[in-house]
Amino acid sequence: MNIEKMQIILDKIKEYDKIFIFRHFRPDGDAVGSSRGLAEILKATFKDKDIRLQNCDHSDYLAFLGGEDELASDEEYRDALGIVCDTATAKRISNQKYSLCRELVKIDHHIPIESYAAYEWVEEERSSACEMIACFYDTFKDQLKINETAARYIYTGMVTDSGRFRFRSVSGETMRLAGVILGVGIDTDTLYANLYLKSLSEYKFEAYARRKMKFTEGGVAYLYISNSMKKRFGLTDEEASASVSLMDSIKGSLIWLAFIEGKDGSIRVRLRSRFVTVDKLANNYNGGGHACASGATVYSKKEMKKLIKDADALLTDYKKNNTGWL
Ligand code: AMP
């Protein structure tokens, strides 16, 4: 925990009348949860401040959490404090007008690749940025207010980014803070229904994807999802991308990769692993993220094959030099 950094952020929040909150593009539960959760806490606490979510894209999957605020004019940014949640690099910020803000704060739990804000609070060992927002609230609870809406946003990110509290980043402190947030009161039945229920076409696609997945000699599982497959099953990019988790429980497949063809011909890569780490592999392919959950982009089938080969070499080497993995 980094009290000094949190204190500086709280002081900055108090100093500004206008606060714009950002997150990464192609948002997941943690990006939406941390940005909206922080916004809600600040709105509940500082009734006279102008607090707005300023993001350019959205997630259909997370639409149940609500939409974004209207984008402000360039002029309005000039006297605003910008707070960017859950975003490691500037180019991944959903709204590139973040740079017009007078000062910038970064709150993040990704492995740091780049520094882009004057005030940065980064704790890569945290299971989610939402855990950091929960910590921020808990540390200053004598000065901050929370409500059920904020708690729902924060809990969404804590649950989703920790793989339902399964990942190794989950600590006793994660569970304590989850308890604090849950204690505010959340309708978890409705939350989980929104997070887990699938459409019939997604179910049918999953059966198809299970048949289509491939394995390297070293045990890397991978799946390529083309635009035509998405069309055939009527899936959005987001729904197709979720298929990475279909490969997360195969014994011996310690690395699993989903390749999703984009409209522009580029291929989004979702890298996941257990025991062995994949963030450095992602760094070699225009990406990054966490030790066991990263993202990257390749621009041809040839580059995709090279990434698979690299992943295979990484896993083969890991298996040769380590015991106890499954
Ligand atoms: P994804 O597979 O897109 O869900 O990404 C897994 C994790 O890596 C998330 O925490 C992302 O924010 C992060 N990530 C994805 N792509 C990149 C990238 N190009 N650079 C840095 N981090 C990334």
Side-chain angles (χ1 to χ4, degrees):
M1 183 150 71
N2 203 320
I3 299 269
E4 299 81 47
K5 289 190 176 160
M6 280 191 272
Q7 185 64 59
I8 291 170
I9 294 173
L10 182 61
D11 291 344
K12 280 288 153 197
I13 288 169
K14 287 180 178 168
E15 186 185 321
Y16 279 81
D17 292 331
K18 195 192 295 169
I19 299 168
F20 287 173
I21 302 184
F22 306 89
R23 48 136 174 98
H24 64 75
F25 78 104
R26 221 188 264 145
D28 54 13
D30 196 28
V32 174
S34 56
S35 53
R36 296 188 77 89
L38 177 63
E40 209 54 44
I41 288 173
L42 299 186
K43 279 184 206 168
T45 309
F46 304 106
K47 302 254 188 248
D48 295 334
K49 289 191 196 291
D50 177 6
I51 318 265
R52 282 183 255 173
L53 292 153
Q54 292 288 290
N55 298 295
C56 293
D57 63 341
H58 75 282
S59 154
D60 290 333
Y61 171 60
L62 297 163
F64 72 93
L65 292 175
E68 297 293 329
D69 291 321
E70 207 174 292
L71 290 180
S73 68
D74 289 5
E75 202 46 50
E76 286 185 280
Y77 281 75
R78 302 203 195 282
D79 57 351
L81 173 70
I83 303 182
V84 188
C85 297
D86 193 39
T87 312
T89 56
K91 73 169 195 296
R92 283 177 56 76
I93 301 174
S94 168
N95 176 1
Q96 288 295 310
K97 287 198 175 162
Y98 77 88
S99 60
L100 298 177
C101 289
R102 184 179 294 165
E103 287 192 294
L104 210 58
V105 167
K106 173 189 188 182
I107 300 175
D108 189 31
H109 74 128
H110 291 95
I111 295 169
I113 309 178
E114 162 190 294
S115 164
Y116 59 76
Y119 309 100
E120 302 204 330
W121 171 33
V122 178
E123 291 191 29
E124 65 185 86
E125 61 288 349
R126 292 280 186 182
S127 65
S128 61
C130 279
E131 180 185 324
M132 296 175 73
I133 301 300
C135 177
F136 186 73
Y137 161 71
D138 192 52
T139 304
F140 301 117
K141 57 177 176 291
D142 55 332
Q143 301 170 67
L144 296 174
K145 289 196 175 75
I146 196 164
N147 53 33
E148 287 185 16
T149 309
R152 177 160 41 90
Y153 295 147
I154 294 168
Y155 200 67
T156 299
M158 292 186 84
V159 168
T160 54
D161 239 38
S162 65
R164 323 321 178 207
F165 300 109
R166 274 189 312 136
F167 296 163
R168 73 165 81 139
S169 54
V170 173
S171 63
E173 177 68 354
T174 311
M175 301 312 276
R176 187 187 72 77
L177 288 167
V180 169
I181 297 303
L182 210 45
V184 178
I186 302 168
D187 174 1
T188 46
D189 281 350
T190 306
L191 174 61
Y192 293 144
N194 275 297
L195 289 175
Y196 300 131
L197 296 183
K198 290 170 190 167
S199 64
L200 193 57
S201 59
E202 281 175 278
Y203 258 89
K204 288 188 174 162
F205 174 71
E206 283 185 6
Y208 172 81
R210 282 199 163 89
R211 286 200 307 275
K212 282 277 167 191
M213 62 180 70
K214 294 194 168 109
F215 299 86
T216 67
E217 219 165 285
V220 176
Y222 63 97
L223 186 60
Y224 174 74
I225 301 161
S226 64
N227 284 323
S228 61
M229 281 186 205
K230 284 184 252 173
K231 200 165 161 203
R232 183 172 149 199
F233 288 92
L235 299 177
T236 61
D237 278 340
E238 206 176 8
E239 287 164 340
S241 304
S243 58
V244 68
S245 58
L246 295 177
M247 299 175 279
D248 72 358
S249 337
I250 305 167
K251 278 188 182 168
S253 288
L254 280 60
I255 296 179
W256 55 104
L257 312 167
F259 296 91
I260 303 105
E261 185 184 22
K263 302 263 175 317
D264 62 354
S266 69
I267 302 169
R268 174 185 179 194
V269 192
R270 306 191 79 194
L271 304 94
R272 299 291 186 270
S273 64
R274 60 179 174 273
F275 300 103
V276 58
T277 60
V278 287
D279 58 294
K280 290 190 183 61
L281 176 62
N283 291 155
N284 293 337
Y285 292 89
N286 316 295
H290 305 289
C292 295
S294 283
T297 309
V298 292
Y299 295 93
S300 64
K301 283 273 184 78
K302 195 174 161 199
E303 208 185 350
M304 176 175 103
K305 283 184 186 147
K306 190 167 173 298
L307 195 160
I308 295 168
K309 215 169 148 206
D310 287 355
D312 185 59
L314 177 67
L315 184 51
T316 303
D317 186 60
Y318 180 85
K319 286 181 170 178
K320 205 159 59 185
N321 295 304
N322 294 275
T323 53
W325 47 264
L326 285 164

